Amino acid sequence: MAYFHPLLILCLSLATQSFAHTPPPAVPCPISLAEACKYTSYVDHCVQSLTGKPESQGADLHGLATMSFKVAVEVGTGVAAHISQTLNTGVKDKALWQCLSTCSNSFENAVEKLDVSMAGMDMKAMTDTMGWVMTVVADTEKCYGGCKDFEGEVKEQLMGMMGKFGKQCSITLDLAQAFA
């Protein structure tokens, strides 16, 4: 009869237990853009904003949420650039200038926070990621509150761009939450 050292038996026992309880790796499952966008509050805007991205074809939910982050960064960067350009053209009304200056800072910070959020998304740290996006939305809402009393083309353009940004952030949150 063969003699087995007790330590060898223990090692083999632990090794087989760890293999037996290790779940299989998650395999990304492609989802159509139309199906993924049904998880969002703005289905049409979701489809429209992500359709132009070639990576959306055959992407899984995580991939689409990541793309939505990138689109939100692009939109936020566009809003910040528009505000900066407006400020540089010489706004004469001091209150409007202050409003736009505050909004410019809000959107620059928002883009930075979205970049941090995207890193969390890459690491699949969904709770942190969603928290950052909610903070971004709250910060940019201050811009809306500070500028709501103004009238004119500057306000209309800003509100339209902010609405698009808000929708994209909402889509990003919805897709991230669906993935989580």
Side-chain angles (χ1 to χ4, degrees), residues 60-77:
D60 64 355
L61 206 46
H62 177 259
L64 292 172
T66 301
M67 279 181 254
S68 186
F69 267 101
K70 291 176 183 176
V71 172
V73 168
E74 290 169 10
V75 173
T77 301

Side-chain angles (χ1 to χ4, degrees), residues 32-171:
S32 75
L33 185 56
E35 276 301 309
C37 287
K38 288 180 184 176
Y39 289 108
T40 72
S41 302
Y42 301 100
V43 176
D44 293 338
H45 187 83
C46 174
V47 171
Q48 183 256 335
S49 70
L50 297 177
T51 295
K53 305 290 181 192
E55 315 92 78
S56 68
Q57 302 303 314
D60 64 355
L61 206 46
H62 177 259
L64 292 172
T66 301
M67 279 181 254
S68 186
F69 267 101
K70 291 176 183 176
V71 172
V73 168
E74 290 169 10
V75 173
T77 301
V79 174
H82 174 77
I83 294 169
S84 180
Q85 181 181 12
T86 302
L87 284 168
N88 291 334
T89 60
V91 175
K92 306 232 185 300
D93 184 318
K94 284 185 179 183
L96 179 59
W97 189 91
Q98 182 60 46
C99 162
L100 292 174
S101 179
T102 300
C103 287
S104 179
N105 290 334
S106 292
F107 275 90
E108 287 170 8
N109 290 335
V111 169
E112 288 176 19
K113 288 178 183 175
L114 283 174
D115 282 337
V116 171
S117 299
M118 205 168 0
M121 186 71 181
D122 291 342
M123 295 183 300
K124 299 182 181 176
M126 303 313 295
T127 304
D128 293 340
T129 300
M130 290 187 283
W132 277 103
V133 176
M134 286 187 265
T135 301
V136 164
V137 171
D139 287 350
T140 57
E141 285 293 318
K142 293 175 191 171
C143 176
Y144 174 78
C147 294
K148 68 180 178 182
D149 295 331
F150 293 99
E151 297 298 325
E153 184 180 341
V154 171
K155 177 189 173 185
E156 295 304 316
Q157 288 177 341
L158 180 60
M159 293 301 125
M161 295 176 89
M162 286 177 54
K164 185 176 178 181
F165 179 74
K167 284 181 182 178
Q168 196 63 49
C169 285
S170 177
I171 290 165

